[in-house]
């Protein structure tokens, strides 16, 4: 929620997956985001970006809500974008 490139790359994927795009603080999962995830009760959560974008602490908080949580990340924002395309559409 602080740096936009990963969110920009994730937005079309969220739309294609018919899911929301929720933004978080890199270091802590905001209560309103946590509450929305509980309300939505998803079968799967994607984390987009490396641990600099979304920390391991936030990842662990998300996994506590939904164990089926997958991180999509690359060595840089371009590789992360390609990894999103591969995960959602099956080709880069």
């Amino acid at each position: 929620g602080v740096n936009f490139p990963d969110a920009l790359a994730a937005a079309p994927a969220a739309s294609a997956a018919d899911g929301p795009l929720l933004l978080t603080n890199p270091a802590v999962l905001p209560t309103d985001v946590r509450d929305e995830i509980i309300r939505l009760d998803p079968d799967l959560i994607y984390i987009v970006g490396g641990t600099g974008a979304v920390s391991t602490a936030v990842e662990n908080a998300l996994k506590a809500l939904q164990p089926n949580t997958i991180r999509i990340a690359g060595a840089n924002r371009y590789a992360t974008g390609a990894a999103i395309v591969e995960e959602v559409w099956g080709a880069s």
Side-chain angles (χ1 to χ4, degrees), residues 22-24 29-38 62 65:
L22 302 177
L23 303 179
T24 185
L29 185 65
T31 302
D32 56 339
V33 174
R34 180 188 160 281
D35 291 348
E36 183 64 4
I37 291 169
I38 291 169
L62 292 170
L65 297 173

Side-chain angles (χ1 to χ4, degrees), residues 3-10 48-50 72-84:
N3 200 355
F4 67 91
D6 292 336
L8 285 176
V48 176
I72 302 174
N76 55 45
R77 65 180 60 153
Y78 306 106
T80 296
I84 293 167

Side-chain angles (χ1 to χ4, degrees), residues 43-72:
D43 295 327
L44 171 65
I45 295 173
Y46 284 110
I47 298 170
V48 176
T51 56
V54 179
S55 69
T56 301
V58 172
E59 180 177 8
N60 291 338
L62 292 170
K63 286 182 176 180
L65 297 173
Q66 173 48 264
N68 192 15
T69 296
I70 299 168
R71 182 182 292 272
I72 302 174

